[in-house]
Amino acid sequence: MLDIEINKPTLLLVDDEPVNLRVLKQLLAADYQLIFAKSGEEALKLATSRQPNLILLDIMMPGMTGFDVCRHLKDEASTKHIPVIFVTALNDEHDEAEGFNVGAVDYITKPISSAIVKARVKTHLSLVQSDELLESRLQVVQRLGRAAEYKDNETGMHVMRMSHFSRVLALAYGLTEKQAEILLHAAPMHDIGKIGIADSIMLKPGKLTDEEFTTMKAHPEIGAEIIGDCGDSLLLKVAKSVSLTHHEKWDGTGYPNGLAGEDIPIEGRICAIADVFDALTSKRPYKEAWSIEKTVDFLQSQKGKHFEPKLVDLLIENLPQILEIKATFKDEE
C-alpha cells in the first residue's frame, strides 16, 4: 500500500473569464492538480464528480453567482466539506461578510497577489489535512475500543452508553463543549487493557479467585501501555488517562495507584461513575439488570467512597437524559 502514488491536491478554479483562469493556472499548476469551470452550473457538476480538495470561486458570473454556487455546495452532503475561497473584484465589506455567511473559508480580492493566493491555498489545505488526521486518530481509538469488547462479557452498546453518559456528566460538571466531546471519543478506550488479560480470566463465568482478580487489576496499566506515547494528540492523552484511572476511587481505595479525591483526573472520575451505572443497570450473563431505583440508592451509598459526591448528584439530576441515552443504545436481545 505504501508504494501507492500520493497525488497532488486537486483545486477547482471557477471563473467566467478565461484570462483569470490562465493567471491562476500559472500560479498554481506546479504544485496542484487543476480542474476548471467557466460557470456555476459546471462548477457544481465538477465538484460532485471530481471531489476537489479546495475550490477557488469567482462571485460575479452570469446566471448562477459564486454566492449561489457556494450555497448549493454547502447544502449537499457530498460537497459541504470542500473549503471554498472566493476570488473576486468585489471588495465591499458587505460582500465579504456575505461570502463568509454562505460558507466560504476565505476571501481574496482582485487584482490578486500571487503570494497571497499561494499562502491562503496552502493554509486551508493544511487545515483540511489536520481535520483528516484528527478523524483518522478518532477512528483508531474507536476501533481499539471495539477490540476490547471481544475480550469481555460486556457489549459494544455498553461502550456507547457509558461514553455518552460521560459527555453529559462532563457538561454538567462545567467542562467545555470541546472537552466533553473529547471525553466522549476517549471513553471507549477505558477497558482497552483487557486485551492483555488471559481469556481464562476474562471469560470465566464464575467469581474470580484472589489471584485472578489481582491479574485483572493490571488492565488499567496495560491499557496505558497499549496507548503509549501520545505525542501532541489530546484525544489519545485523555484516552490514556481514562484507561489508567477509571478504577480509582474517591476515598483512595481504588487501583492501580490508590489515588484519592481530586488527584484522580476528572476524566477518570467521570468515566468511573458512567461505567458503573451502566454495568449495574444492564443484564449480563452472570447477573440480571438492577432497577434504576436500586442503582441510584447504591450510588448514593458510595458518595465520598467510590465516587465524587458532586458527580453522584449530577448523574441523578441528569437522569432523564441518561435514561434517554440508555434507551437509544439498547443491547441486542
Side-chain angles (χ1 to χ4, degrees), residues 70-104:
C70 194
R71 287 191 192 94
H72 278 80
L73 290 169
K74 299 307 170 184
D75 285 342
E76 293 297 325
S78 64
T79 55
K80 66 180 182 181
H81 64 285
I82 304 172
V84 175
I85 299 176
F86 281 124
V87 183
T88 177
L90 296 177
N91 58 9
D92 185 85
E93 189 174 307
H94 171 76
D95 296 317
E96 188 170 346
E98 178 64 13
F100 289 119
N101 187 50
V102 298

Side-chain angles (χ1 to χ4, degrees), residues 47-48 52 61 92 160 306 310 324:
T48 301
M61 296 184 293
D92 185 85
M160 294 294 291
H306 192 154
K310 179 179 178 179
E324 188 176 327

Side-chain angles (χ1 to χ4, degrees), residues 151 192-198 215 222 226:
K151 295 280 289 185
I192 186 62
K194 289 181 177 178
I195 289 175
I197 304 298
T215 300
I222 293 172
I226 288 172

Side-chain angles (χ1 to χ4, degrees), residues 44-324:
L44 291 176
K45 290 177 183 177
L46 285 172
T48 301
S49 63
R50 298 290 296 274
Q51 291 289 304
N53 301 97
L54 185 144
I55 299 172
L56 291 171
L57 178 60
D58 185 29
I59 292 178
M60 297 302 294
M61 296 184 293
M64 183 177 281
T65 70
F67 292 146
D68 296 329
V69 173
C70 194
R71 287 191 192 94
H72 278 80
L73 290 169
K74 299 307 170 184
D75 285 342
E76 293 297 325
S78 64
T79 55
K80 66 180 182 181
H81 64 285
I82 304 172
V84 175
I85 299 176
F86 281 124
V87 183
T88 177
L90 296 177
N91 58 9
D92 185 85
E93 189 174 307
H94 171 76
D95 296 317
E96 188 170 346
E98 178 64 13
F100 289 119
N101 187 50
V102 298
V105 296
D106 214 334
Y107 196 98
I108 300 172
T109 55
K110 298 175 182 176
I112 62 172
S113 156
S114 60
I116 288 176
V117 171
K118 289 180 178 180
R120 301 281 177 84
V121 168
K122 184 176 180 180
T123 294
H124 289 290
L125 286 175
S126 295
L127 291 173
V128 170
Q129 290 168 350
S130 295
D131 289 343
E132 290 173 348
L133 179 58
L134 179 59
E135 179 64 23
S136 297
R137 284 175 171 168
L138 177 55
Q139 289 180 11
V140 170
V141 167
Q142 291 171 336
R143 281 159 175 72
L144 280 171
R146 289 183 61 189
E149 298 162 24
Y150 289 93
K151 295 280 289 185
D152 204 342
N153 284 314
E154 292 173 342
T155 69
M157 290 297 102
H158 163 72
V159 170
M160 294 294 291
R161 289 190 298 264
M162 67 82 60
S163 299
H164 283 274
F165 297 165
S166 297
R167 181 181 183 278
V168 170
L169 291 172
L171 290 172
Y173 199 91
L175 273 63
T176 65
E177 183 69 41
K178 182 177 180 180
Q179 289 170 324
E181 200 71 16
I182 289 171
L183 184 55
L184 168 70
H185 296 307
M189 293 284 278
H190 70 288
D191 273 340
I192 186 62
K194 289 181 177 178
I195 289 175
I197 304 298
D199 287 352
S200 59
I201 295 175
M202 285 300 311
L203 303 177
K204 184 176 179 179
K207 186 177 180 180
L208 299 180
T209 66
D210 289 345
E211 184 179 354
E212 288 169 337
F213 186 59
T214 297
T215 300
M216 175 68 89
K217 285 164 65 175
H219 81 266
E221 292 170 306
I222 293 172
E225 289 176 13
I226 288 172
I227 297 170
D229 182 9
C230 306
D232 62 352
S233 172
L234 181 57
L235 174 62
L236 290 178
K237 287 177 182 176
V238 174
K240 184 174 183 177
S241 176
V242 165
S243 173
L244 191 59
T245 64
H246 73 285
H247 281 295
E248 301 288 359
K249 295 184 179 181
W250 185 255
D251 65 2
T253 62
Y255 63 89
N257 295 312
L259 301 179
E262 293 186 357
D263 286 341
I264 307 168
I266 183 59
E267 57 269 17
R269 284 151 32 210
I270 289 174
C271 285
I273 193 169
D275 189 27
V276 170
F277 178 85
D278 189 67
L280 292 178
T281 56
S282 301
K283 185 178 180 179
R284 293 289 179 266
Y286 51 85
K287 76 169 191 71
E288 292 299 316
W290 286 21
S291 69
I292 300 301
E293 292 76 15
K294 182 179 178 181
T295 303
V296 168
D297 287 344
F298 174 78
L299 296 181
Q300 291 275 28
S301 74
Q302 292 299 306
K303 266 183 156 183
K305 298 176 184 178
H306 192 154
F307 308 116
E308 178 180 358
K310 179 179 178 179
L311 283 170
V312 175
D313 293 339
L314 290 175
L315 189 146
I316 294 169
E317 288 172 17
N318 290 273
L319 200 53
Q321 192 174 356
I322 295 290
L323 295 180
E324 188 176 327

